[in-house]
Amino acid sequence: MTEDAEAVYQALLGRIGEGSPRRRLEPTRRVLELLGDPQRSFPIIQIAGTNGKTSTSRITESILRSFGLRTGLFTSPHFVSFTERIAIDGEPIADAAIAANWDDILPYVEMVDAELEAAGEKRLTFFETLTVLAFASFADAPVDVAVVEVGMGGEWDSTNAADAAIAVFTPIGMDHQAQLGSTVREIARTKAGIIKPGSVVVTAPQAPEALEEIERAAGLSEATLVRSGTEFDLVDDRVAVGGQLITVRGRAGSYDELYLPLYGDHQGVNASVAIAAVESFIGGGDVPLASDPLGDGVGVATSPGRLQLIGTDPTILVDAAHNPHGAQSLVAALGRYFDAEEFAFVVGVLADKDAAGILATLSPIASRFHLTQPESDRSIPWEDLTSIARAVGGVDGVEAEGYERLEDALEDARTWAAAGDKRMVVVTGSIVLGGEAAAFADDQGWKP
């Protein structure tokens, strides 16, 4: 990033962080109103869920772009660079553009800050302000359609200040219980709050109680409900070099043997959801998507930090699994898509996550754990995480070592993997840790 873009990021970091969201929409709406409601100048596909939000968002955006639409994409958190969170036409927003848009919105952000403080409330948070910046940037571009990933929850998430024509739900499970609720039903109820009157609702396979909440909210809003397994489905997926071949029964047509350059059965499901969402946007779900642009969009989709190769000889992957459900998908993908028999997991976890659950899920296939921490004030200290891993892994005899520095954890894991056949290193537990690992691997030249 240039100094101007870095200055924007530092200004955002000076606000209340993403780990402490406010259950409110009015401050975000107030800034947007002062700015002339930029979020109303383009249609929005909004994506909520527990796992798969970012991948589904990125696949959806890639398909839309392949049909000639100018796209905006808002995701979080970022993998390496802050500007990844706001993408225009498939590329992180230009440093000059984000600096200029920040200068445009700042007086109005400060005006609302002052109003909030006068009322005895906290000023706009990091994520509230970032959401405003994204909407303003999309309007400035301008874009034909924006794909917007919910930050946390749904009903009171700042992205919900916009009225999305299409609400998409990836699988909902247990995460952020302190903020969202102690059961899947409660969490799903909060996430279903993104459904707007008369909208289209597209959902991945869900636990029964989660689906009930989505169906309830859709019914109250007189929304059109499009369910995986009913209105559309992933019919088949086969392992291919660099990814998989998927066959999807969509809302309006069938799409055979699309090449998806992402690993994991869950990514095939994410792609099927993305296709149904795009069918709903282009042609209202009644017209099949043209095969060539669809194939092009699926075939170039990327999802940084999701089973991403960052090193060879030995193989090193990063995966953003940050809860037990994500760890289950990771374990399944490693068994199906990679020819390895021993795994060293380099793990760092944020404090609001179920670290024990993640480690217990990985433990059956783990040869060793290298425990460390991402560079975040929300991280579980490496010493504490090591104690958790030893308690979990001790049942199965998994070796667990702690490292203050990620670089040392990676170097030792890489040395171990290079000393044997069919060994692999997997960095997981946090997208922040994955980004740091990818940057270090790039500096070291681990991937030709």
Side-chain angles (χ1 to χ4, degrees):
M1 289 187 291
T2 64
E3 290 185 6
D4 287 343
E6 180 63 29
V8 174
Y9 187 40
Q10 292 303 317
L12 288 166
L13 288 176
R15 295 175 173 272
I16 295 171
E18 292 175 276
S20 303
R22 293 290 183 265
R23 292 174 173 81
R24 62 188 190 184
L25 282 178
E26 287 310 313
T28 305
R29 286 174 172 158
R30 173 67 173 147
V31 184
L32 291 170
E33 178 186 26
L34 292 171
L35 287 166
D37 285 319
Q39 79 284 4
R40 294 182 179 174
S41 63
F42 45 84
I44 293 173
I45 299 173
Q46 189 176 17
I47 299 180
T50 302
N51 291 293
K53 288 186 299 180
T54 301
S55 294
T56 303
S57 297
R58 294 181 69 91
I59 299 169
T60 301
E61 184 277 332
S62 183
I63 298 171
L64 290 166
R65 185 159 32 90
S66 74
F67 278 88
L69 297 171
R70 184 168 171 79
T71 58
L73 176 65
F74 182 46
T75 58
S76 60
H78 58 273
F79 188 52
V80 176
S81 172
F82 151 69
T83 55
E84 296 167 16
R85 295 179 181 232
I86 302 172
I88 308 291
D89 256 357
E91 296 293 334
I93 189 169
D95 288 2
I98 202 164
N101 289 324
W102 174 253
D103 288 342
D104 288 343
I105 74 167
L106 185 57
Y108 302 98
V109 169
E110 291 177 337
M111 187 182 305
V112 175
D113 282 342
E115 292 174 356
L116 289 168
E117 290 177 335
E121 296 186 40
K122 299 290 186 180
R123 65 183 188 143
L124 289 157
T125 67
F126 174 105
F127 195 74
E128 288 171 330
T129 311
L130 180 63
T131 300
V132 172
L133 180 58
F135 288 150
S137 298
F138 294 154
D140 178 67
V143 301
D144 298 317
V145 56
V147 180
V148 175
E149 177 187 346
V150 171
M152 185 184 295
E155 180 180 9
W156 42 260
D157 185 81
S158 60
T159 63
N160 208 30
D163 291 333
I166 299 173
V168 178
F169 295 93
T170 63
I172 296 171
M174 300 298 293
D175 201 13
H176 299 296
Q177 290 97 309
Q179 294 87 3
L180 303 181
S182 58
T183 67
V184 169
R185 183 177 296 279
E186 289 175 332
I187 293 170
R189 187 176 302 140
T190 298
K191 293 181 185 292
I194 70 170
I195 297 173
K196 303 300 192 301
S199 62
V200 176
V201 178
V202 179
T203 179
Q206 302 287 354
E209 59 270 37
L211 183 59
E212 287 172 7
E213 290 299 322
I214 293 170
E215 290 174 335
R216 180 193 60 81
L220 291 173
S221 297
E222 297 183 347
T224 300
L225 185 59
V226 181
R227 296 156 295 186
S228 177
T230 304
E231 286 76 21
F232 72 98
D233 207 359
L234 175 65
V235 176
D236 186 40
D237 64 320
R238 291 185 287 120
V239 176
V241 176
Q244 56 191 298
L245 293 174
I246 62 171
T247 295
V248 175
R249 174 178 62 82
R251 291 188 67 186
S254 293
Y255 313 103
D256 297 332
E257 295 196 338
L258 300 169
Y259 176 66
L260 177 65
L262 300 173
Y263 299 110
D265 295 355
H266 59 291
Q267 295 290 19
V269 174
N270 291 338
S272 71
V273 172
I275 289 169
V278 175
E279 283 184 312
S280 302
F281 184 77
I282 299 176
D286 297 323
V287 181
L289 297 175
S291 58
D292 286 348
L294 174 61
D296 291 344
V298 174
V300 298
T302 63
S303 194
R306 279 76 183 174
L307 283 167
Q308 179 181 342
L309 183 69
I310 64 168
T312 57
D313 297 324
T315 299
I316 306 175
L317 298 174
V318 296
D319 189 77
H322 58 274
N323 52 44
H325 185 274
Q328 288 171 5
S329 296
L330 170 59
V331 169
L334 291 174
R336 184 176 185 202
Y337 289 84
F338 299 94
D339 184 25
E341 296 176 355
E342 295 182 87
F343 300 93
F345 289 99
V346 178
V347 183
V349 183
L350 299 185
D352 61 343
K353 303 298 181 181
D354 181 5
I358 294 169
L359 293 166
T361 304
L362 299 176
S363 184
I365 68 166
S367 300
R368 58 198 295 125
F369 286 123
H370 290 217
L371 292 312
T372 185
Q373 60 191 41
E375 292 181 4
S376 168
D377 56 8
R378 296 165 55 202
S379 299
I380 296 176
W382 64 272
E383 302 97 329
D384 295 345
L385 188 60
T386 303
S387 297
I388 294 170
R390 285 175 176 162
V392 169
V395 175
D396 300 312
V398 180
E399 183 177 349
E401 294 295 333
Y403 298 82
E404 182 176 2
R405 299 174 67 249
L406 167 63
E407 294 84 354
D408 295 335
L410 279 170
E411 292 280 12
D412 281 3
R414 187 169 181 265
T415 299
W416 169 84
D421 294 330
K422 293 191 174 184
R423 288 180 173 181
M424 177 183 291
V425 177
V426 182
V427 183
T428 192
S430 163
I431 188 66
V432 179
L433 188 78
E436 294 168 3
F440 180 69
D442 186 58
D443 288 344
Q444 299 298 307
W446 288 350
K447 183 181 176 184

